[in-house]
Amino acid sequence: MSTTVLARKYRPRNFSALVGQTHVVQALVNALTQKRLHHAWLFTGTRGVGKTTVSRILAKSLNCTGPDGKGDITAEPCGVCEACRSIDAGRFLDYVELDAASNRGVDEITQLLDQAVYKPVIGRFKVYMIDEVHMLTPTAFNAMLKTLEEPPEYLKFVLATTDPQKVPATVLSRCLQFNLRPMAPPTIVEHLGTVLREEGLAADASALKLIARAARGSMRDALSITDQAIAYGSGAVEEEPVRRMLGAVDRGHAVRLVEALAAHDGKALIGAVDGLRELGLSAAGTLEELAALLQEMAVLQAVPGADDSDDPDAAVAARLATLLPADETQLLYSIVLHGREELPLAPDEYSGLVMILLRMLAFAPTETEPRSVPRPGPARAEAPVRAETLAAASPKAAVRPARDEGTNSVSSPAAVASAAPTLTPPAPTSPDRTEAWPRDPAAAGRWVDLVRRLIEAGSIAAMVRELAMQAEGIAVVEAAGETLWRLRVERENLRTPALREKLQVAVAETLRLPVRLELEAGAAVDTPAERAAEARRQRQARAEQEINDDPLVKALLAQYKTARIVPGSVKPL
Ligand SMILES: [Zn+2]
């Protein structure tokens, strides 16, 4: 059985069948319906999110002649005319797909561009789809640029890339850019459910969840894995075989690790790793499951009751969510993610896993009061009791250690106030235990100041500067001699490891302190860029007000009835 049966069979053939990319579909459908057609589109996104699929649907939309042969450009290609059927079958003469990853040479692209001077053979438009366009050589880019600058009206380019940063700005500026998003696991689960129902195959919801997680946002991968699971499970998609097939670690192991961390029980932690080693379960799989569990806990801590009621795992995650404070859950999650990267560097994967778990233990706040140990019973009742116990046992519990970069002084008013009676400073590694990370307004302000320093020092430029400007400081924590900044960045193309690394180096060099930056996705509101824009708006409003209030201007307007202030002509000094 081929492993791409489902992926090919269920490849969307029109926009309405395209799952999880509503924003892109809507824009393309509008453009096609109103016949406002750009001559070059650039689709960005990770592998398997549908770039080639969108390109083929677009080629059909442009060339479809309808079932009666009289159709025009349409957002709903008929699927039955010669053009539609040939494009689906990959034999339409005027639709060319070129994979730049395997055709890097200038020859193929120049050959293709040489053909561009000829009108379409049978279609309305020639459509050139160049996949992984960032792989083209500079010479090939230049050759393409000439055609992109003055394209014949019958020629459309569809460019696709997993790495838009490597596409020259001269090319980017001539394309209409769309970002195809990685598919959310629930979207994948729902689609797999539909596909399997149509195939008349039984499936466990939990098995589909495992597949959706393993597919990492790629529907194509999800369908391929499902194909394998059907073969592996002889016709049914069930949790246990899927777990074995994917090398996924049973959630029970991750649960025990979180319990040991919450109880600060190093012995139990090491014992759990020994158990994993004996069972031959993978360390990478363990970290993956641990990350998934911590992520669910974090969601439940931020939004209690956000669990999926038909999911038995959710009840467990809800119980664990009450054992750890939200900020610690965040910190443990980031240690797991970083740990995964360094796992291949460890002498062997279990010793790597032990080190990562011990780091999680070390990063947990130091406390004198005993931790509440997980007890059976209703989870909801456990949380308030624990909060009260903590508050009574440690008045320092609510202190967030907010230090200025470069000094050791504690600057948070709350910290000063609560530290004053005993004059005992709060433990510097103890983050706020009653509040979650989300949005510390002080962190946003500190980040704005820090970025101003970086720019004044000339230590960031180009895309690194853009990342710094577009990031919102969500939280800042001092832990184990290092300043940990959590930044929220909306634009996906800025959230890359390379840019993060460069910015981290620049910050560390400017502050002369060890610094770690973590980027999270989400709507960034209070960013340096937004503050700069607001300052500009205020200067503009003041300038306009001054002009309106100017006695000479008022006199001129009164004297000449047709005189007016040209909108947009007022510029602040
Ligand atoms: Zn058609």
Side-chain angles (χ1 to χ4, degrees):
M1 187 177 188
S2 158
T3 54
T4 54
V5 177
L6 290 179
R8 201 179 302 135
K9 185 170 170 188
Y10 289 91
R11 171 172 232 153
R13 296 185 192 280
N14 51 54
F15 287 121
S16 54
L18 200 69
V19 176
Q21 306 292 359
T22 330
H23 59 298
V24 173
V25 166
Q26 194 57 50
L28 292 175
V29 165
N30 288 346
L32 287 162
T33 313
Q34 297 161 18
K35 299 204 171 48
R36 284 185 295 102
L37 300 172
H38 214 263
H39 63 270
W41 293 274
L42 174 69
F43 295 107
T44 62
T46 51
R47 52 185 296 282
V49 292
K51 299 188 291 292
T52 310
T53 300
V54 171
S55 169
R56 288 188 190 168
I57 301 174
L58 199 51
K60 286 193 285 184
S61 297
L62 291 168
N63 285 302
C64 177
T65 55
D68 57 359
K70 292 177 188 159
D72 197 1
I73 298 170
T74 173
E76 291 163 8
C78 70
V80 295
C81 72
E82 181 53 29
C84 284
R85 281 188 295 122
S86 318
I87 291 170
D88 278 338
R91 53 177 168 78
F92 191 66
L93 291 172
D94 296 314
Y95 177 65
V96 183
E97 279 179 13
L98 188 141
D99 182 4
S102 51
N103 294 286
R104 294 198 61 195
V106 71
D107 288 351
E108 290 84 352
I109 187 87
T110 25
Q111 259 174 20
L112 189 71
L113 296 168
D114 283 347
Q115 297 299 313
V117 297
Y118 303 108
K119 289 193 171 174
V121 183
I122 40 172
R124 216 174 277 129
F125 292 96
K126 272 190 168 180
V127 181
Y128 287 172
M129 197 276 184
I130 305 176
D131 200 4
E132 296 299 4
V133 68
H134 65 274
M135 301 286 278
L136 288 179
T137 59
T139 326
F141 267 124
N142 278 337
M144 187 172 73
L145 204 54
K146 287 203 190 82
T147 316
L148 264 183
E149 277 165 348
E150 285 176 51
E153 94 237 59
Y154 53 78
L155 181 65
K156 302 287 177 200
F157 278 96
V158 178
L159 309 180
T161 179
T162 49
D163 196 352
Q165 288 193 57
K166 293 201 184 121
V167 179
T170 43
V171 172
L172 284 180
S173 66
R174 285 173 173 81
C175 297
L176 200 57
Q177 193 173 331
F178 291 102
N179 185 20
L180 294 169
R181 294 172 188 154
M183 240 74 68
T187 309
I188 295 182
V189 168
E190 195 187 328
H191 188 62
L192 293 182
T194 312
V195 165
L196 290 168
R197 263 196 305 282
E198 274 185 41
E199 292 288 306
L201 295 170
D204 284 355
S206 47
L208 298 187
K209 275 195 174 181
L210 283 171
I211 294 174
R213 206 194 292 157
R216 294 175 178 273
S218 160
M219 192 66 90
R220 186 173 65 210
D221 287 359
L223 288 165
S224 300
I225 298 171
T226 307
D227 265 320
Q228 291 170 34
I230 294 167
Y232 192 86
S234 5
V237 182
E238 287 163 345
E239 182 179 352
E240 246 340 281
V242 168
R243 202 178 272 289
R244 275 202 304 278
M245 188 187 87
L246 294 172
V249 172
D250 189 285
R251 171 147 289 199
H253 296 286
V255 169
R256 278 190 285 283
L257 291 174
V258 171
E259 282 172 350
L261 286 165
H264 255 245
D265 188 342
K267 205 174 156 195
L269 213 52
I270 304 295
V273 176
D274 287 342
L276 289 164
R277 193 204 304 262
E278 273 163 31
L279 290 168
L281 295 171
S282 97
T286 306
L287 289 179
E288 199 131 310
E289 191 58 49
L290 201 49
L293 180 57
L294 288 166
Q295 188 266 338
E296 281 170 44
M297 286 164 57
V299 170
L300 289 163
Q301 285 163 342
V303 190
D307 52 30
D308 178 2
S309 53
D310 57 344
D311 180 4
D313 286 349
V316 179
R319 177 176 65 82
L320 296 177
T322 65
L323 299 183
L324 288 172
D327 54 357
E328 193 177 326
T329 308
Q330 290 283 349
L331 195 61
L332 298 186
Y333 177 76
S334 74
I335 295 173
V336 172
L337 292 196
H338 283 93
R340 254 169 43 179
E341 289 170 24
E342 65 185 57
L343 204 57
L345 307 173
D348 72 275
E349 61 166 359
Y350 291 105
S351 58
L353 180 60
V354 168
M355 289 306 284
I356 293 158
L357 291 169
L358 290 180
R359 190 180 311 154
M360 291 165 88
L361 202 61
F363 267 79
T366 48
E367 291 182 306
T368 46
E369 78 275 15
R371 278 214 176 221
S372 66
V373 179
R375 280 186 305 270
R380 300 267 183 272
E382 209 169 275
V385 172
R386 183 171 179 280
E388 278 168 32
T389 315
L390 269 178
S394 164
K396 290 171 289 190
V399 173
R400 175 184 289 278
R403 291 187 193 178
D404 285 338
E405 290 87 358
T407 74
N408 282 330
S409 68
V410 175
S411 67
S412 154
V416 173
S418 73
T422 55
L423 290 170
T424 313
T429 51
S430 157
D432 187 325
R433 303 196 55 81
T434 54
E435 284 174 18
W437 288 72
R439 283 239 168 78
D440 172 7
R446 283 175 67 188
W447 179 249
V448 170
D449 281 344
L450 181 53
V451 172
R452 190 180 301 131
R453 280 174 67 184
L454 292 172
I455 291 173
E456 280 167 7
S459 49
I460 49 173
M463 290 299 278
V464 181
R465 179 181 161 138
E466 188 65 7
L467 170 60
M469 290 293 285
Q470 300 292 346
E472 176 176 359
I474 293 298
V476 51
V477 180
E478 317 285 330
E482 141 179 289
T483 306
L484 175 65
W485 274 97
R486 173 160 283 252
L487 303 174
R488 187 171 294 172
V489 180
E490 194 157 349
R491 276 166 50 189
E492 194 180 335
N493 66 335
L494 293 174
R495 288 194 312 270
T496 67
L499 289 178
R500 186 196 64 82
E501 182 69 31
K502 283 182 186 161
L503 183 56
Q504 181 171 289
V505 169
V507 173
E509 279 175 359
T510 302
L511 302 177
R512 296 200 179 82
L513 280 173
V515 168
R516 192 146 57 84
L517 304 184
E518 285 179 1
L519 306 184
E520 64 174 34
V525 181
D526 192 359
T527 62
E530 187 42 48
R531 293 230 186 162
E534 180 55 31
R536 268 197 307 280
R537 281 193 289 273
Q538 285 180 8
R539 279 202 304 277
Q540 180 68 28
R542 272 200 302 277
E544 283 173 14
Q545 194 58 47
E546 275 170 30
I547 290 291
N548 287 333
D549 293 347
D550 187 279
L552 179 63
V553 173
K554 278 185 173 165
L556 284 169
L557 287 174
Q559 194 175 347
Y560 302 100
K561 295 298 171 204
T562 55
R564 63 193 176 91
I565 298 167
V566 178
S569 66
V570 178
K571 297 271 186 293
L573 290 171

